[in-house]
Amino acid sequence: MCEQFTEMGTFAAQHGTTVIFEPLNRREAFYLRQVADAASICRDINNPGVRCMGDFWHMTWEETSDMGAFLSAGDYLQHVHVASRKTRNMPGEDGAADNYVNGFKGLKMLGYDKYVSFECGCQGDRAVVVPEAIKLLREQWEEA
């Protein structure tokens, strides 16, 4: 696997992109369930075109600490997905469960300057819920 991903990573880097490992949760995969697992594979491959990501929704089920998960990835962290913590909808739609402060602290400690993208559905009126989600994430980023 490392040989194949070394080849893919080299090709990706030559074209200005990366191959990204995304840990899933136990309902979707029996391996590669924690950010540290993905980062460990990236370290073994040791190629600038191979990185990993964290997904707050999957991390809800698999990680004991969002901050610890992100810190375990270090420089290999390339992308982050965000969704509500219970139903995988817009952040905020699950109320108090949608707390990302611990993870944001980890991202700040890393000096993370890459993208965080929504990967979720939306139960409410998108014209209302999306701006509310962005407001919530900004507030929690500041709190972190």
Side-chain angles (χ1 to χ4, degrees):
M1 180 178 99
C2 288
E3 288 177 19
Q4 291 176 336
F5 277 98
T6 296
E7 184 179 330
M8 285 188 279
T10 299
F11 182 83
Q14 289 170 345
H15 292 85
T17 191
T18 54
V19 175
I20 300 177
F21 287 107
E22 178 181 5
L24 303 176
N25 65 65
R26 66 191 69 211
R27 293 181 207 132
E28 298 176 2
F30 65 91
Y31 65 99
L32 195 61
R33 295 188 338 231
Q34 293 184 316
V35 175
D37 297 333
S40 178
I41 294 169
C42 292
R43 282 184 198 93
D44 288 347
I45 295 169
N46 193 27
N47 183 299
V50 179
R51 294 291 181 255
C52 67
M53 64 173 290
D55 182 319
F56 275 102
W57 189 78
H58 292 295
M59 290 165 56
T60 298
W61 314 112
E62 300 301 331
E63 304 286 357
T64 57
S65 165
D66 295 335
M67 180 191 323
F70 289 136
L71 293 177
S72 74
D75 292 337
Y76 294 100
L77 188 67
Q78 178 69 30
H79 193 79
V80 175
H81 281 164
V82 67
S84 67
R85 303 304 293 248
K86 292 181 179 179
T87 60
R88 205 174 193 178
N89 285 300
M90 277 290 158
E93 288 194 295
D94 287 339
D98 292 343
N99 188 315
Y100 310 94
V101 174
N102 182 264
F104 287 168
K105 285 179 183 179
L107 294 175
K108 283 185 169 187
M109 290 171 82
L110 290 174
Y112 184 78
D113 62 355
K114 297 167 183 66
Y115 290 102
V116 176
S117 63
F118 290 128
E119 185 186 45
C120 56
C122 183
Q123 292 298 307
D125 177 356
R126 291 177 194 266
V128 174
V129 175
V130 173
E132 287 176 353
I134 293 168
K135 180 179 182 272
L136 172 73
L137 295 175
R138 284 185 175 143
E139 288 171 354
Q140 290 188 13
W141 182 262
E142 288 303 315
E143 183 181 338

